[in-house]
Structure formats: C-alpha cells, structure tokens
C-alpha cells in the first residue's frame, strides 16, 4: 500500500451548472472523489490530454482515480438537486 507525503481536500456542493475551474497542487499521485448524496459529474483536466476526462459518480459512492490531474470542475447529475462532494488529492509518495 502506498503512503503519501500530504493531502489536499476540496469539499463543496455542486449545482446544476458546471463550476468554475479548481486548480490542484503539483505532485498529485492519486485522487479519491466522494459523493455524499446525489450523483456528480467531475471533469478532470489531465496533462497531455486535450479534452477533460468526464467521470460520472453515483450518489453515496467513492471513486478512486490514479490520475495526475491538475484541475477539475464539478456539476450535479440530477437537475434541481445539489450534490455534496469531497475530492481528496494525495501528494507525493514516500
């Protein structure tokens, strides 16, 4: 099992429209995307890829993502229902 030097956490509520872009720190080795209630759509911007990677996560689930993204956006999947989320970024391996 990998151990990491640090973590950075982004939590919030995703609305019906795509959020502003969140910038991630350098050195990310792994990301866990957690939906607390309603389904969520996350767009991960990955170095070297043109279009962002779109990930749809059902409500109440954890999606482990071993991708070194450098930014992301969020949007709920169910119109009229906000989606609470938490994105945990693991930085650098020991």
């Amino acid at each position: 099992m990998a151990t990491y030097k640090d973590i950075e956490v982004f939590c919030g509520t995703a609305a019906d429209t795509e959020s502003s872009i969140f910038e991630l720190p350098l050195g990310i080795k792994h990301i866990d995307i957690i939906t607390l209630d309603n389904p969520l759509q996350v767009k991960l911007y990955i170095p070297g890829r043109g279009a962002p990677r779109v990930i749809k996560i059902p409500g109440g689930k954890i999606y482990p993502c071993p991708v070194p993204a450098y930014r992301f956006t969020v949007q709920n999947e169910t119109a009229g229902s906000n989606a609470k989320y938490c994105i945990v970024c693991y930085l650098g391996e020991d």
Side-chain angles (χ1 to χ4, degrees):
M1 177 175 214
T3 58
Y4 301 96
K5 292 181 180 182
D6 201 3
I7 64 169
E8 187 147 339
V9 180
F10 297 83
C11 294
T13 302
D16 287 341
T17 57
E18 186 175 0
S19 71
S20 299
I21 293 176
F22 291 90
E23 297 291 334
L24 296 172
L26 295 175
I28 290 177
K29 301 296 181 186
H30 181 85
I31 298 171
D32 283 336
I33 304 169
I34 304 159
T35 59
L36 302 173
D37 50 14
N38 293 312
L40 180 71
Q41 175 178 293
V42 177
K43 287 185 181 176
L44 291 175
Y45 293 80
I46 301 165
R49 291 188 61 171
R53 180 177 175 188
V54 178
I55 301 169
K56 296 180 181 183
I57 303 133
K61 300 291 182 182
I62 298 174
Y63 181 86
C65 187
V67 174
Y70 63 95
R71 60 175 60 151
F72 72 91
T73 63
V74 294
Q75 182 176 349
N76 75 41
E77 276 287 304
T78 307
S81 296
N82 293 333
K84 293 178 185 167
Y85 67 90
C86 196
I87 296 177
V88 182
C89 302
Y90 300 88
L91 304 162
E93 293 179 289
D94 282 338

